[in-house]
PDB file of all heavy atoms in Angstrom:
ATOM      1  N   ARG R   1     -13.999 -46.391  69.845  1.00 92.00           N
ATOM      2  CA  ARG R   1     -14.285 -45.342  70.820  1.00 92.00           C
ATOM      3  C   ARG R   1     -15.191 -45.926  71.891  1.00 92.00           C
ATOM      4  O   ARG R   1     -16.141 -46.644  71.581  1.00 92.00           O
ATOM      5  CB  ARG R   1     -14.987 -44.172  70.152  1.00 92.00           C
ATOM      6  CG  ARG R   1     -14.058 -43.370  69.320  1.00 92.00           C
ATOM      7  CD  ARG R   1     -14.150 -41.901  69.746  1.00 92.00           C
ATOM      8  NE  ARG R   1     -13.046 -41.154  69.193  1.00 92.00           N
ATOM      9  CZ  ARG R   1     -11.988 -40.750  69.892  1.00 92.00           C
ATOM     10  NH1 ARG R   1     -11.904 -41.011  71.156  1.00 92.00           N
ATOM     11  NH2 ARG R   1     -11.020 -40.076  69.325  1.00 92.00           N
ATOM     12  N   VAL R   2     -14.899 -45.615  73.137  1.00 91.00           N
ATOM     13  CA  VAL R   2     -15.709 -46.143  74.235  1.00 91.00           C
ATOM     14  C   VAL R   2     -16.282 -44.992  75.051  1.00 91.00           C
ATOM     15  O   VAL R   2     -15.708 -43.899  75.102  1.00 91.00           O
ATOM     16  CB  VAL R   2     -14.888 -47.089  75.142  1.00 91.00           C
ATOM     17  CG1 VAL R   2     -14.469 -48.331  74.383  1.00 91.00           C
ATOM     18  CG2 VAL R   2     -13.684 -46.396  75.743  1.00 91.00           C
ATOM     19  N   PRO R   3     -17.414 -45.214  75.711  1.00 89.00           N
ATOM     20  CA  PRO R   3     -17.998 -44.169  76.554  1.00 89.00           C
ATOM     21  C   PRO R   3     -17.049 -43.785  77.687  1.00 89.00           C
ATOM     22  O   PRO R   3     -16.303 -44.632  78.195  1.00 89.00           O
ATOM     23  CB  PRO R   3     -19.261 -44.827  77.114  1.00 89.00           C
ATOM     24  CG  PRO R   3     -19.555 -45.965  76.199  1.00 89.00           C
ATOM     25  CD  PRO R   3     -18.233 -46.421  75.659  1.00 89.00           C
ATOM     26  N   GLU R   4     -17.081 -42.525  78.062  1.00 87.00           N
ATOM     27  CA  GLU R   4     -16.254 -42.046  79.171  1.00 87.00           C
ATOM     28  C   GLU R   4     -16.522 -42.885  80.410  1.00 87.00           C
ATOM     29  O   GLU R   4     -17.662 -43.239  80.703  1.00 87.00           O
ATOM     30  CB  GLU R   4     -16.576 -40.580  79.452  1.00 87.00           C
ATOM     31  CG  GLU R   4     -15.652 -39.955  80.462  1.00 87.00           C
ATOM     32  CD  GLU R   4     -15.875 -38.464  80.616  1.00 87.00           C
ATOM     33  OE1 GLU R   4     -16.365 -37.834  79.661  1.00 87.00           O
ATOM     34  OE2 GLU R   4     -15.574 -37.956  81.698  1.00 87.00           O
ATOM     35  N   GLY R   5     -15.457 -43.254  81.105  1.00 85.00           N
ATOM     36  CA  GLY R   5     -15.578 -44.063  82.314  1.00 85.00           C
ATOM     37  C   GLY R   5     -15.490 -45.552  82.074  1.00 85.00           C
ATOM     38  O   GLY R   5     -15.461 -46.332  83.024  1.00 85.00           O
ATOM     39  N   THR R   6     -15.459 -45.966  80.808  1.00 84.00           N
ATOM     40  CA  THR R   6     -15.349 -47.394  80.494  1.00 84.00           C
ATOM     41  C   THR R   6     -13.909 -47.864  80.618  1.00 84.00           C
ATOM     42  O   THR R   6     -13.638 -48.968  81.087  1.00 84.00           O
ATOM     43  CB  THR R   6     -15.845 -47.672  79.057  1.00 84.00           C
ATOM     44  OG1 THR R   6     -17.185 -47.230  78.938  1.00 84.00           O
ATOM     45  CG2 THR R   6     -15.777 -49.141  78.713  1.00 84.00           C
ATOM     46  N   SER R   7     -12.988 -47.030  80.190  1.00 83.00           N
ATOM     47  CA  SER R   7     -11.590 -47.393  80.070  1.00 83.00           C
ATOM     48  C   SER R   7     -10.741 -46.157  80.367  1.00 83.00           C
ATOM     49  O   SER R   7     -11.254 -45.036  80.302  1.00 83.00           O
ATOM     50  CB  SER R   7     -11.347 -47.890  78.635  1.00 83.00           C
ATOM     51  OG  SER R   7     -10.016 -48.254  78.420  1.00 83.00           O
ATOM     52  N   PRO R   8      -9.457 -46.327  80.686  1.00 83.00           N
ATOM     53  CA  PRO R   8      -8.618 -45.157  80.969  1.00 83.00           C
ATOM     54  C   PRO R   8      -8.476 -44.200  79.784  1.00 83.00           C
ATOM     55  O   PRO R   8      -8.217 -43.022  79.970  1.00 83.00           O
ATOM     56  CB  PRO R   8      -7.262 -45.761  81.313  1.00 83.00           C
ATOM     57  CG  PRO R   8      -7.508 -47.174  81.639  1.00 83.00           C
ATOM     58  CD  PRO R   8      -8.732 -47.575  80.894  1.00 83.00           C
ATOM     59  N   LEU R   9      -8.611 -44.698  78.580  1.00 84.00           N
ATOM     60  CA  LEU R   9      -8.477 -43.879  77.382  1.00 84.00           C
ATOM     61  C   LEU R   9      -9.828 -43.788  76.680  1.00 84.00           C
ATOM     62  O   LEU R   9     -10.731 -44.577  76.957  1.00 84.00           O
ATOM     63  CB  LEU R   9      -7.427 -44.495  76.447  1.00 84.00           C
ATOM     64  CG  LEU R   9      -6.007 -44.577  77.022  1.00 84.00           C
ATOM     65  CD1 LEU R   9      -5.106 -45.399  76.120  1.00 84.00           C
ATOM     66  CD2 LEU R   9      -5.434 -43.192  77.240  1.00 84.00           C
ATOM     67  N   PRO R  10      -9.990 -42.868  75.740  1.00 89.00           N
ATOM     68  CA  PRO R  10     -11.279 -42.744  75.048  1.00 89.00           C
ATOM     69  C   PRO R  10     -11.521 -43.842  74.011  1.00 89.00           C
ATOM     70  O   PRO R  10     -12.548 -43.868  73.360  1.00 89.00           O
ATOM     71  CB  PRO R  10     -11.190 -41.372  74.376  1.00 89.00           C
ATOM     72  CG  PRO R  10      -9.745 -41.076  74.258  1.00 89.00           C
ATOM     73  CD  PRO R  10      -9.068 -41.786  75.390  1.00 89.00           C
ATOM     74  N   TRP R  11     -10.581 -44.751  73.850  1.00 90.00           N
ATOM     75  CA  TRP R  11     -10.722 -45.877  72.940  1.00 90.00           C
ATOM     76  C   TRP R  11     -10.251 -47.136  73.676  1.00 90.00           C
ATOM     77  O   TRP R  11      -9.580 -47.054  74.705  1.00 90.00           O
ATOM     78  CB  TRP R  11      -9.884 -45.688  71.670  1.00 90.00           C
ATOM     79  CG  TRP R  11      -8.429 -45.427  71.985  1.00 90.00           C
ATOM     80  CD1 TRP R  11      -7.822 -44.214  72.089  1.00 90.00           C
ATOM     81  CD2 TRP R  11      -7.436 -46.398  72.292  1.00 90.00           C
ATOM     82  NE1 TRP R  11      -6.505 -44.371  72.443  1.00 90.00           N
ATOM     83  CE2 TRP R  11      -6.240 -45.707  72.566  1.00 90.00           C
ATOM     84  CE3 TRP R  11      -7.431 -47.786  72.350  1.00 90.00           C
ATOM     85  CZ2 TRP R  11      -5.066 -46.352  72.911  1.00 90.00           C
ATOM     86  CZ3 TRP R  11      -6.257 -48.425  72.692  1.00 90.00           C
ATOM     87  CH2 TRP R  11      -5.083 -47.714  72.971  1.00 90.00           C
ATOM     88  N   ALA R  12     -10.619 -48.266  73.152  1.00 93.00           N
ATOM     89  CA  ALA R  12     -10.139 -49.545  73.684  1.00 93.00           C
ATOM     90  C   ALA R  12      -9.983 -50.499  72.513  1.00 93.00           C
ATOM     91  O   ALA R  12     -10.700 -50.394  71.512  1.00 93.00           O
ATOM     92  CB  ALA R  12     -11.124 -50.112  74.697  1.00 93.00           C
ATOM     93  N   LEU R  13      -9.046 -51.411  72.642  1.00 96.00           N
ATOM     94  CA  LEU R  13      -8.979 -52.483  71.648  1.00 96.00           C
ATOM     95  C   LEU R  13     -10.047 -53.497  72.020  1.00 96.00           C
ATOM     96  O   LEU R  13     -10.254 -53.802  73.195  1.00 96.00           O
ATOM     97  CB  LEU R  13      -7.607 -53.166  71.647  1.00 96.00           C
ATOM     98  CG  LEU R  13      -6.483 -52.443  70.939  1.00 96.00           C
ATOM     99  CD1 LEU R  13      -5.241 -53.322  70.882  1.00 96.00           C
ATOM    100  CD2 LEU R  13      -6.864 -52.003  69.537  1.00 96.00           C
ATOM    101  N   GLY R  14     -10.731 -53.987  71.014  1.00 97.00           N
ATOM    102  CA  GLY R  14     -11.785 -54.952  71.258  1.00 97.00           C
ATOM    103  C   GLY R  14     -11.914 -55.930  70.113  1.00 97.00           C
ATOM    104  O   GLY R  14     -11.207 -55.853  69.106  1.00 97.00           O
ATOM    105  N   VAL R  15     -12.830 -56.851  70.278  1.00 98.00           N
ATOM    106  CA  VAL R  15     -13.146 -57.854  69.268  1.00 98.00           C
ATOM    107  C   VAL R  15     -14.550 -57.569  68.751  1.00 98.00           C
ATOM    108  O   VAL R  15     -15.486 -57.383  69.547  1.00 98.00           O
ATOM    109  CB  VAL R  15     -13.050 -59.277  69.867  1.00 98.00           C
ATOM    110  CG1 VAL R  15     -13.521 -60.324  68.874  1.00 98.00           C
ATOM    111  CG2 VAL R  15     -11.623 -59.568  70.316  1.00 98.00           C
ATOM    112  N   HIS R  16     -14.687 -57.527  67.441  1.00 98.00           N
ATOM    113  CA  HIS R  16     -15.985 -57.227  66.842  1.00 98.00           C
ATOM    114  C   HIS R  16     -16.923 -58.414  67.019  1.00 98.00           C
ATOM    115  O   HIS R  16     -16.541 -59.567  66.804  1.00 98.00           O
ATOM    116  CB  HIS R  16     -15.826 -56.915  65.352  1.00 98.00           C
ATOM    117  CG  HIS R  16     -17.103 -56.479  64.728  1.00 98.00           C
ATOM    118  ND1 HIS R  16     -17.870 -57.313  63.968  1.00 98.00           N
ATOM    119  CD2 HIS R  16     -17.768 -55.304  64.791  1.00 98.00           C
ATOM    120  CE1 HIS R  16     -18.945 -56.671  63.566  1.00 98.00           C
ATOM    121  NE2 HIS R  16     -18.907 -55.446  64.050  1.00 98.00           N
ATOM    122  N   ILE R  17     -18.158 -58.104  67.412  1.00 98.00           N
ATOM    123  CA  ILE R  17     -19.176 -59.140  67.591  1.00 98.00           C
ATOM    124  C   ILE R  17     -20.122 -59.151  66.392  1.00 98.00           C
ATOM    125  O   ILE R  17     -20.191 -60.131  65.658  1.00 98.00           O
ATOM    126  CB  ILE R  17     -19.980 -58.914  68.898  1.00 98.00           C
ATOM    127  CG1 ILE R  17     -19.032 -58.810  70.106  1.00 98.00           C
ATOM    128  CG2 ILE R  17     -21.002 -60.019  69.097  1.00 98.00           C
ATOM    129  CD1 ILE R  17     -18.126 -59.996  70.318  1.00 98.00           C
ATOM    130  N   GLN R  18     -20.837 -58.069  66.188  1.00 97.00           N
ATOM    131  CA  GLN R  18     -21.754 -57.953  65.053  1.00 97.00           C
ATOM    132  C   GLN R  18     -22.244 -56.516  64.959  1.00 97.00           C
ATOM    133  O   GLN R  18     -22.196 -55.782  65.932  1.00 97.00           O
ATOM    134  CB  GLN R  18     -22.955 -58.896  65.206  1.00 97.00           C
ATOM    135  CG  GLN R  18     -23.849 -58.556  66.386  1.00 97.00           C
ATOM    136  CD  GLN R  18     -24.973 -59.548  66.572  1.00 97.00           C
ATOM    137  OE1 GLN R  18     -25.173 -60.440  65.755  1.00 97.00           O
ATOM    138  NE2 GLN R  18     -25.723 -59.405  67.646  1.00 97.00           N
ATOM    139  N   GLY R  19     -22.711 -56.128  63.777  1.00 95.00           N
ATOM    140  CA  GLY R  19     -23.207 -54.765  63.591  1.00 95.00           C
ATOM    141  C   GLY R  19     -22.186 -53.755  64.055  1.00 95.00           C
ATOM    142  O   GLY R  19     -21.050 -53.756  63.608  1.00 95.00           O
ATOM    143  N   GLU R  20     -22.580 -52.885  64.985  1.00 95.00           N
ATOM    144  CA  GLU R  20     -21.655 -51.918  65.576  1.00 95.00           C
ATOM    145  C   GLU R  20     -21.186 -52.356  66.960  1.00 95.00           C
ATOM    146  O   GLU R  20     -20.608 -51.576  67.707  1.00 95.00           O
ATOM    147  CB  GLU R  20     -22.325 -50.542  65.674  1.00 95.00           C
ATOM    148  CG  GLU R  20     -22.545 -49.873  64.354  1.00 95.00           C
ATOM    149  CD  GLU R  20     -23.007 -48.429  64.518  1.00 95.00           C
ATOM    150  OE1 GLU R  20     -23.101 -47.936  65.662  1.00 95.00           O
ATOM    151  OE2 GLU R  20     -23.271 -47.804  63.487  1.00 95.00           O
ATOM    152  N   GLU R  21     -21.434 -53.609  67.340  1.00 97.00           N
ATOM    153  CA  GLU R  21     -21.104 -54.085  68.684  1.00 97.00           C
ATOM    154  C   GLU R  21     -19.689 -54.651  68.762  1.00 97.00           C
ATOM    155  O   GLU R  21     -19.297 -55.489  67.950  1.00 97.00           O
ATOM    156  CB  GLU R  21     -22.097 -55.158  69.125  1.00 97.00           C
ATOM    157  CG  GLU R  21     -23.503 -54.633  69.273  1.00 97.00           C
ATOM    158  CD  GLU R  21     -24.493 -55.718  69.626  1.00 97.00           C
ATOM    159  OE1 GLU R  21     -24.190 -56.916  69.435  1.00 97.00           O
ATOM    160  OE2 GLU R  21     -25.581 -55.356  70.097  1.00 97.00           O
ATOM    161  N   TRP R  22     -18.973 -54.192  69.790  1.00 97.00           N
ATOM    162  CA  TRP R  22     -17.606 -54.629  70.068  1.00 97.00           C
ATOM    163  C   TRP R  22     -17.515 -55.076  71.519  1.00 97.00           C
ATOM    164  O   TRP R  22     -18.075 -54.445  72.407  1.00 97.00           O
ATOM    165  CB  TRP R  22     -16.638 -53.473  69.858  1.00 97.00           C
ATOM    166  CG  TRP R  22     -16.505 -53.076  68.432  1.00 97.00           C
ATOM    167  CD1 TRP R  22     -17.345 -52.261  67.720  1.00 97.00           C
ATOM    168  CD2 TRP R  22     -15.492 -53.485  67.534  1.00 97.00           C
ATOM    169  NE1 TRP R  22     -16.905 -52.144  66.436  1.00 97.00           N
ATOM    170  CE2 TRP R  22     -15.753 -52.878  66.297  1.00 97.00           C
ATOM    171  CE3 TRP R  22     -14.362 -54.299  67.655  1.00 97.00           C
ATOM    172  CZ2 TRP R  22     -14.943 -53.069  65.186  1.00 97.00           C
ATOM    173  CZ3 TRP R  22     -13.548 -54.485  66.553  1.00 97.00           C
ATOM    174  CH2 TRP R  22     -13.837 -53.878  65.335  1.00 97.00           C
ATOM    175  N   ALA R  23     -16.794 -56.149  71.766  1.00 98.00           N
ATOM    176  CA  ALA R  23     -16.479 -56.587  73.125  1.00 98.00           C
ATOM    177  C   ALA R  23     -15.155 -55.955  73.505  1.00 98.00           C
ATOM    178  O   ALA R  23     -14.160 -56.102  72.784  1.00 98.00           O
ATOM    179  CB  ALA R  23     -16.371 -58.103  73.187  1.00 98.00           C
ATOM    180  N   VAL R  24     -15.138 -55.220  74.618  1.00 97.00           N
ATOM    181  CA  VAL R  24     -13.916 -54.576  75.092  1.00 97.00           C
ATOM    182  C   VAL R  24     -13.770 -54.825  76.595  1.00 97.00           C
ATOM    183  O   VAL R  24     -14.757 -54.999  77.312  1.00 97.00           O
ATOM    184  CB  VAL R  24     -13.897 -53.050  74.824  1.00 97.00           C
ATOM    185  CG1 VAL R  24     -13.981 -52.759  73.342  1.00 97.00           C
ATOM    186  CG2 VAL R  24     -14.982 -52.329  75.584  1.00 97.00           C
TER     187      VAL R  24
END
């Protein structure tokens, strides 16, 4: 799930970095 305005959809595919952090 991504914050509103980050991506066209409310989710994005990403790569996990650590903890709860994702690169999208």
Side-chain angles (χ1 to χ4, degrees):
R1 286 233 166 255
V2 295
E4 187 173 334
T6 302
S7 180
L9 298 171
W11 55 265
L13 281 187
V15 174
H16 185 259
I17 305 303
Q18 65 184 353
E20 290 189 3
E21 295 176 342
W22 291 82
V24 299

